[in-house]
Amino acid sequence: MKQNLGDEIILNIENVDSKARGIARVDGYVVFVPGALIGETVTVNIVERKKHYSVAKIKSLLKASPYRVQPRCEVYEACGGCNMQHASYDHQVKVKSSLIEDAIIRIGKWKEADIAPVIPSFLVWGYRNKAIIQARYQKGKRKLGYFARGTHDVVNLKACPILDPLINLVYANLRNAVLQSDLSFYDEERGEGLIRNFVLRSSFSMKKILLAWILSREPDDREYKMISDISNGLYKYKDVSPFLGGVQININPSKGNFIWGSKTQSLFGEDVLVERFENIKLRFGVSDFFQVNVLQAFRMFEIVAELARDSKHVLELYSGVGSMTAFLASFCNDVVAVEEWRPAYESLVSNMTNNGINNVTAICGKAEDVVKTKVSGHFDIVVVDPPRTGCHKDVLNFIGRVISPKRVIYVSCNPATLARDSKILNEYGYNMENAMPLDMFPQTSHVESVVLLEK
């Protein structure tokens, strides 16, 4: 049955995809329904028509899932941050289990993979230690918030229920002060306007916040004074002052979507946060990669270190500020840790020194470049924790053909690229021994996994 734009049809939802969209089929033709849950019957309108699929919007629920709940966020339907607040948490975990199984078995072709149940998060609300707030001038108005799903239209945001409550506290006061000022917001179409973003990071263990103003250009004297006055004013709010550790300004004149520019200056206070994992203290900057769910990350680091326990020589790629490196170093003879982002690399070096860890060699550079020129010798195991895009093909070739370690630990936040890369490693002779998914991102469809591959 051909579906045209605007058509109203009734669908039975059979499954959910990696974007948390319900999946229905009409005469073999797939229809994706955002916000629908497995087992629901819905009346929908077709809003997008492609050659092999359609996208529909729910008009009414004829049969609701018993797992459907009321979202906590007042802008949930529009915001692009979360996509599973309408499902109970136990159901979210079940969906994530099916997503990781589908990716590993269907995409990766691992028919006999040992996939453990998803490990639930300690916190399901208020867990996230990082917020990137968009500041945009759109349709004649200044907006502060997150991008709407699939667009760069900003949804005004007063608070976010998955953020650390301390971030919400600082952001609420910052938002009020900025909106009362006449500081200009960035207009993407014209490439004009001063403020592009605000980035807020928190330390779960130390109860401190860092704030960064991301600006499109150097502020003039008047603008600089206003930014300083607003930032200094935050320190004077009695509810905020105990928690605000430092404020920075970053200049990013580029037209792209990357948040950070090359120039950062400290405005007030500290320029790093400290996070504690038992006897390990990790320092990281506002722009460094650091897991957003600290308690769950601690659990993941323990899993990785345990898998690597019997290894003597470890190569770790995409190491960030050294969170996992510190755990690996305590179990292994020596670790070579590679990180591309210069500020994160500098944090990695200082973290090893400050924790008295002297069996780590840190290298700064892209993993695909470093493995060709700066890494040699024997490694018992390689640990990779790449971005969502997965490992570069040259990295996989280096692992599989050049050094050929007995074991590879692959930490992934994207089941699809995990499946793709593990399939390539299989061609080099590696078999998937087990996969251990963790829910690092409650209220979203994202899932983290630790996979062990062996020859």
Side-chain angles (χ1 to χ4, degrees), residues 101-121:
E101 289 176 7
D102 179 68
I104 289 175
I105 294 172
R106 181 177 59 83
I107 301 174
K109 307 300 181 185
W110 296 98
K111 300 299 183 184
E112 299 180 1
D114 180 13
I115 305 173
V118 171
I119 300 173
S121 176

Side-chain angles (χ1 to χ4, degrees), residues 223-429:
E223 292 167 333
Y224 186 86
K225 184 179 185 306
M226 293 179 68
I227 291 171
S228 297
D229 288 346
I230 291 172
S231 301
N232 194 37
L234 292 174
Y235 280 105
K236 296 179 181 179
Y237 293 132
K238 64 178 182 179
D239 292 337
V240 173
S241 58
F243 309 111
L244 186 58
V247 181
Q248 298 173 343
I249 291 176
N250 177 269
I251 309 299
N252 180 11
S254 71
K255 303 295 183 183
N257 293 326
F258 189 66
I259 298 294
W260 300 99
S262 59
K263 182 178 180 180
T264 301
Q265 70 174 84
S266 181
L267 199 59
F268 297 106
E270 300 293 325
D271 59 2
V272 295
L273 291 171
V274 176
E275 195 63 83
R276 286 181 178 270
F277 294 106
E278 294 186 348
N279 63 331
I280 297 174
K281 291 174 64 176
L282 296 167
R283 295 162 62 87
F284 61 98
V286 69
S287 68
D288 295 343
F289 171 78
F290 199 86
Q291 293 286 354
V292 299
N293 187 335
V294 173
L295 295 179
Q296 197 73 331
F298 177 51
R299 179 183 275 174
M300 183 181 72
F301 300 153
E302 288 184 314
I303 291 172
V304 172
E306 183 63 33
L307 290 174
R309 177 182 287 274
D310 298 327
S311 304
K312 293 183 178 180
H313 309 294
V314 180
L315 173 62
E316 183 195 9
L317 304 176
Y318 315 97
S319 59
V321 301
S323 312
M324 197 145 47
T325 316
F327 281 76
L328 290 168
S330 66
F331 282 89
C332 308
N333 285 16
D334 53 73
V335 181
V336 174
V338 178
E339 170 55 36
E340 173 184 354
W341 181 242
R342 172 63 63 172
Y345 162 78
E346 292 172 354
S347 295
L348 163 65
V349 172
S350 66
N351 281 327
M352 298 306 105
T353 300
N354 294 336
N355 284 282
I357 299 171
N358 55 19
N359 60 339
V360 172
T361 300
I363 301 174
C364 186
K366 291 184 177 181
E368 58 268 29
D369 296 334
V370 168
V371 295
K372 294 177 183 177
T373 59
K374 298 181 181 180
V375 174
S376 61
H378 169 73
F379 295 96
D380 305 298
I381 192 167
V382 175
V383 179
V384 298
D385 185 5
R388 288 189 59 79
T389 51
C391 290
H392 192 281
K393 62 180 180 179
D394 290 344
V395 169
L396 298 173
N397 180 69
F398 176 80
I399 294 171
R401 287 185 177 173
V402 179
I403 60 172
S404 190
K406 182 180 178 182
R407 292 184 291 173
V408 176
I409 297 176
Y410 195 126
V411 180
S412 171
C413 60
N414 186 340
T417 53
L418 164 65
R420 179 201 68 197
D421 291 352
S422 65
K423 185 178 179 180
I424 294 172
L425 289 171
N426 181 235
E427 295 171 0
Y428 293 129

Side-chain angles (χ1 to χ4, degrees), residues 18-21 34 73-85 127-128 132-134 144-157 159-162 388 441-446:
S18 61
K19 297 179 181 179
R21 300 179 300 183
C73 181
E74 62 182 20
V75 295
Y76 171 66
E77 295 297 330
C79 180
C82 297
N83 57 13
M84 292 200 74
Q85 282 193 28
Y127 66 86
R128 188 176 175 87
I132 300 175
I133 305 296
Q134 310 295 333
L144 279 176
Y146 293 153
F147 287 138
R149 290 191 180 102
T151 76
H152 273 206
D153 293 335
V154 172
V155 177
N156 281 313
L157 182 74
C160 173
I162 68 169
R388 288 189 59 79
F441 316 100
Q443 315 309 326
T444 81
S445 57
H446 300 305

